[in-house]
Amino acid sequence: MIKVDKVVKHFENFKVLDEITLNVPKGAIYGLVGPNGAGKTTIINHIAGAYRQESGTITVGGEEVYENPSVKEKVLFIADDWFFYNTFTIKQMAKLYEDMYPTFSRERYEKIKGVFNIDEKRQIRKLSKGMKKQVAFWLCLSCMPEVLILDEPLDGLDPVMRKQVLSLVIADVADREMTVLVSSHNLRELEDICDYVGIIHEGRMILEKPLDDIKGSVHKYQVVFSDTVPENLEESENVLHVSNTGSVYNIIMKGSDFECDNILKRFAPRVCDRISLTLEEVFIYELGGLGYDCESIL
């Protein structure tokens, strides 16, 4: 559905995107993660059609995005700082969206209105940040987009409303095969909703897989050895990190579970338990392997 191929972008002399490639299947929820300054917001603005790449291609549904109104009618973008006209009420903004997007559904608008329970006659500028974010989802989902792009979408929302918003998005993915690309610093939220994850670093894609595959490629073990930790354990290219609390060692390894299990068996541990990693832990260890400063997090 969304295809980004070897896209390059500079801001003055700084290369923000360095031949980045990204693929989002139709009907998927794709989480884009990376450290600050990695290029997440920049590539999102390209996919939304706000920026023009210097080289490479960006297509949505097989069509180029930039300066293509027919594609942009299918794509809705909720940025961290969502735009609205300063004097407009919710009702006036809804009329603007209805005029701009042919797929705008009044039925959908009224249904979501009951979820958020905000007076549509209120001026948007007088709402709290969380309420403004609710209005953004209210109007954008009423447009019945084929593609929804979200940049830090849940900031300002309380836990109950976060669940409400995510439920609306997930329902549209299930009912209409809406495609969602979401960038967020909250990896736990991405882990709850995403099918695919892409990790970017310094403008390049370093890892892009289904979430289950990503979590299955890095493993955490709690191990107790008969004596001290074997000296050559960390020499294995599969071992990413070793730490200990007393006699219990936490070992992070990369590879298939079968391969990692067999490597540890060679050291004849007294206890060896494999534990599931969170997306946050996978992110830390993947970037740590690239020299990213993760020591304070570890």
Side-chain angles (χ1 to χ4, degrees):
M1 183 63 176
I2 301 174
K3 292 188 178 296
V4 176
D5 186 37
K6 296 182 179 179
V7 166
V8 173
K9 181 70 173 182
H10 289 80
F11 290 140
E12 296 182 350
N13 294 323
F14 181 68
K15 184 182 280 188
V16 183
L17 301 178
D18 186 6
E19 295 193 347
I20 188 169
T21 295
L22 182 152
N23 294 279
V24 184
K26 181 177 175 60
I29 302 179
Y30 184 109
L32 187 64
V33 300
N36 291 335
K40 300 188 299 296
T41 298
T42 302
I43 190 58
I44 279 177
N45 276 295
H46 279 79
I47 296 169
Y51 292 167
R52 185 174 189 173
Q53 68 272 23
E54 295 158 20
S55 62
T57 59
I58 301 172
T59 60
V60 173
E63 295 185 68
E64 291 276 356
V65 178
Y66 190 75
E67 293 188 344
N68 189 337
S70 65
V71 172
K72 290 185 179 182
E73 287 178 352
K74 305 171 186 176
V75 179
L76 268 294
F77 179 26
I78 302 178
D80 185 34
D81 187 16
W82 174 68
F83 173 82
F84 58 90
Y85 287 108
N86 198 42
T87 61
F88 273 30
T89 63
I90 298 170
K91 188 174 182 178
Q92 289 171 321
M93 278 297 292
K95 182 63 170 65
L96 177 65
Y97 272 60
E98 188 173 23
D99 292 341
M100 291 177 61
Y101 296 96
T103 55
F104 187 94
S105 168
R106 274 287 160 183
E107 181 182 355
R108 181 70 166 153
Y109 175 84
E110 293 297 330
K111 184 175 181 180
I112 298 176
K113 176 179 168 181
V115 173
F116 293 134
N117 197 27
I118 304 174
D119 185 356
E120 64 181 351
K121 296 179 182 178
R122 294 185 65 179
Q123 281 190 320
I124 300 172
R125 67 183 177 88
K126 295 182 179 179
L127 301 176
S128 67
K129 180 178 179 180
M131 293 176 78
K132 288 175 184 174
K133 192 60 66 75
Q134 292 174 50
V135 172
F137 276 97
W138 181 1
L139 298 181
C140 289
L141 291 177
S142 296
C143 294
M144 311 291 281
E146 290 186 22
V147 175
L148 183 63
I149 300 174
L150 307 172
D151 191 8
E152 302 296 347
L154 302 180
D155 278 4
L157 297 178
D158 63 59
V160 173
M161 192 49 65
R162 287 182 182 213
K163 289 185 178 180
Q164 290 272 32
V165 167
L166 290 177
S167 295
L168 287 169
V169 172
I170 292 170
D172 272 11
V173 172
D175 295 343
R176 304 190 293 103
E177 286 193 294
M178 181 177 70
T179 302
V180 181
L181 173 61
V182 52
S183 170
S184 175
H185 64 274
N186 193 324
L187 301 186
R188 291 181 181 177
E189 287 176 346
L190 291 184
E191 188 171 13
D192 289 339
I193 64 170
C194 288
D195 309 304
Y196 292 79
V197 172
I199 300 177
I200 66 173
H201 179 63
E202 296 182 348
R204 297 184 69 91
M205 184 65 69
I206 63 169
L207 185 67
E208 182 184 50
K209 289 182 179 179
L211 178 60
D212 289 343
D213 289 356
I214 287 179
K215 292 174 70 175
S217 65
V218 182
H219 310 280
K220 181 177 183 178
Y221 292 84
Q222 287 190 335
V223 181
V224 177
F225 296 99
S226 298
D227 197 358
T228 59
V229 62
E231 292 183 1
N232 57 342
L233 173 63
E234 294 187 60
E235 295 176 4
S236 170
E237 62 181 14
N238 298 77
V239 175
L240 300 178
H241 180 76
V242 177
S243 64
N244 71 292
T245 303
S247 61
V248 179
Y249 285 83
N250 292 307
I251 303 173
I252 309 300
M253 302 184 70
K254 189 173 183 178
S256 69
D257 51 4
F258 177 79
E259 181 181 16
C260 295
D261 285 352
N262 282 339
I263 290 172
L264 288 177
K265 284 178 181 177
R266 293 203 295 265
F267 297 102
R270 290 169 53 196
V271 177
C272 183
D273 292 327
R274 180 161 15 102
I275 302 170
S276 297
L277 280 169
T278 65
L279 178 58
E280 186 173 29
E281 289 174 312
V282 173
F283 171 73
I284 290 169
Y285 294 121
E286 287 289 348
L287 290 181
L290 293 173
Y292 186 69
D293 183 12
C294 296
E295 289 303 314
S296 61
I297 305 174
L298 297 173

Coordinates of all heavy atoms in Angstrom, one line a residue, residues 4-5 8 17 24 32 36 38 66 69 88 90 96 101 146 163 169 198 236 245 247 280:
V4 N 8.1 3.1 0.0 CA 9.2 4.1 0.0 C 10.4 3.4 -0.4 O 10.8 2.4 0.2 CB 9.4 4.7 1.4 CG1 10.5 5.7 1.4 CG2 8.1 5.4 1.9
D5 N 11.0 3.9 -1.5 CA 12.2 3.2 -2.1 C 13.4 4.2 -2.2 O 13.3 5.1 -3.1 CB 11.8 2.6 -3.4 CG 13.0 1.8 -4.0 OD1 13.6 1.1 -3.3 OD2 13.2 1.8 -5.3
V8 N 16.0 10.0 -0.4 CA 17.1 10.9 0.1 C 16.5 12.3 0.3 O 15.8 12.8 -0.5 CB 18.3 10.9 -0.8 CG1 19.3 11.9 -0.3 CG2 18.9 9.5 -1.0
L17 N 17.4 11.9 5.5 CA 17.0 10.6 5.0 C 18.1 10.1 4.0 O 18.4 10.7 3.1 CB 15.6 10.7 4.3 CG 14.5 11.2 5.1 CD1 13.2 11.2 4.3 CD2 14.3 10.3 6.4
V24 N 4.6 -0.7 3.7 CA 3.5 -0.9 4.6 C 2.4 -1.6 3.9 O 1.8 -1.1 2.9 CB 2.9 0.4 5.2 CG1 1.8 0.2 6.2 CG2 4.1 1.3 5.8
L32 N 6.5 2.9 13.4 CA 7.8 3.5 13.0 C 8.4 4.0 14.2 O 7.9 4.9 14.9 CB 7.6 4.6 11.9 CG 8.9 5.1 11.3 CD1 9.6 4.1 10.5 CD2 8.5 6.3 10.4
N36 N 15.4 10.1 18.8 CA 15.1 11.5 18.3 C 16.1 11.8 17.3 O 17.3 11.5 17.4 CB 15.3 12.5 19.5 CG 14.2 12.3 20.5 OD1 13.1 11.9 20.2 ND2 14.4 12.7 21.8
A38 N 16.1 10.7 14.2 CA 16.3 9.5 13.3 C 15.7 9.8 11.9 O 16.1 9.2 10.9 CB 15.8 8.2 13.9
Y66 N 3.4 13.1 -4.1 CA 3.6 14.6 -4.1 C 2.8 15.2 -5.2 O 2.9 14.8 -6.4 CB 5.1 14.8 -4.2 CG 5.5 16.3 -4.0 CD1 5.5 16.8 -2.8 CD2 5.8 17.1 -5.1 CE1 5.8 18.2 -2.6 CE2 6.1 18.4 -4.9 CZ 6.1 19.0 -3.7 OH 6.4 20.3 -3.5
P69 N -3.5 15.3 -6.0 CA -4.7 15.5 -5.2 C -5.5 14.2 -5.0 O -6.1 14.0 -3.9 CB -5.4 16.6 -5.9 CG -4.4 17.3 -6.7 CD -3.4 16.3 -7.1
F88 N -12.3 28.6 14.1 CA -13.3 27.6 13.8 C -13.8 26.8 15.0 O -13.1 26.5 15.9 CB -12.8 26.7 12.7 CG -13.0 27.2 11.3 CD1 -13.0 28.5 11.0 CD2 -13.1 26.3 10.3 CE1 -13.1 28.9 9.7 CE2 -13.3 26.7 9.0 CZ -13.3 28.0 8.7
I90 N -15.8 23.1 16.0 CA -15.7 21.8 15.5 C -16.6 21.6 14.3 O -16.3 21.0 13.3 CB -16.1 20.8 16.6 CG1 -15.1 20.9 17.8 CG2 -16.1 19.3 16.1 CD1 -15.5 20.1 19.0
L96 N -15.6 21.9 6.6 CA -14.4 22.1 5.7 C -13.9 20.7 5.3 O -13.6 20.5 4.1 CB -13.3 22.8 6.5 CG -12.0 23.0 5.8 CD1 -12.2 23.9 4.5 CD2 -10.9 23.6 6.7
Y101 N -13.0 16.3 1.4 CA -12.8 14.9 1.2 C -14.1 14.2 0.8 O -15.1 14.2 1.5 CB -12.3 14.2 2.5 CG -11.0 14.7 3.0 CD1 -10.8 15.7 3.9 CD2 -9.8 14.1 2.4 CE1 -9.5 16.2 4.2 CE2 -8.5 14.5 2.8 CZ -8.4 15.6 3.7 OH -7.2 16.0 4.1
E146 N -8.4 5.8 3.3 CA -7.7 4.5 3.0 C -6.4 4.4 3.8 O -6.0 3.3 4.2 CB -7.4 4.4 1.5 CG -8.7 4.3 0.7 CD -8.3 4.0 -0.8 OE1 -7.2 3.6 -1.0 OE2 -9.2 4.3 -1.6
K163 N -7.6 4.3 25.0 CA -8.2 3.0 24.6 C -9.4 3.2 23.6 O -9.5 2.5 22.7 CB -8.6 2.3 25.9 CG -7.5 1.7 26.7 CD -8.0 0.9 27.9 CE -6.9 0.3 28.7 NZ -7.3 -0.5 29.8
V169 N -9.7 3.2 15.8 CA -8.7 3.0 14.7 C -8.7 1.5 14.3 O -8.7 1.1 13.1 CB -7.3 3.5 15.1 CG1 -6.3 3.0 14.1 CG2 -7.3 5.0 15.3
G198 N 9.0 -0.9 11.9 CA 10.3 -0.5 11.3 C 11.1 0.3 12.2 O 10.6 1.3 12.8
S236 N 30.8 -14.9 21.5 CA 29.9 -15.4 20.4 C 29.2 -14.1 19.8 O 28.8 -13.2 20.5 CB 28.8 -16.2 21.1 OG 27.7 -16.5 20.2
T245 N 22.8 -10.2 38.4 CA 22.4 -9.8 39.7 C 22.8 -11.0 40.6 O 22.1 -12.0 40.5 CB 20.9 -9.5 39.8 OG1 20.6 -8.4 38.9 CG2 20.6 -9.1 41.2
S247 N 24.2 -14.4 41.3 CA 24.6 -15.5 40.4 C 23.7 -15.7 39.2 O 23.9 -16.6 38.4 CB 24.5 -16.8 41.3 OG 23.2 -17.0 41.7
E280 N 10.2 -2.5 23.4 CA 11.1 -1.6 24.0 C 12.5 -2.2 24.1 O 13.5 -1.5 23.8 CB 10.6 -1.0 25.3 CG 11.4 0.1 25.9 CD 10.8 0.7 27.1 OE1 10.1 0.0 27.8 OE2 11.0 1.9 27.3

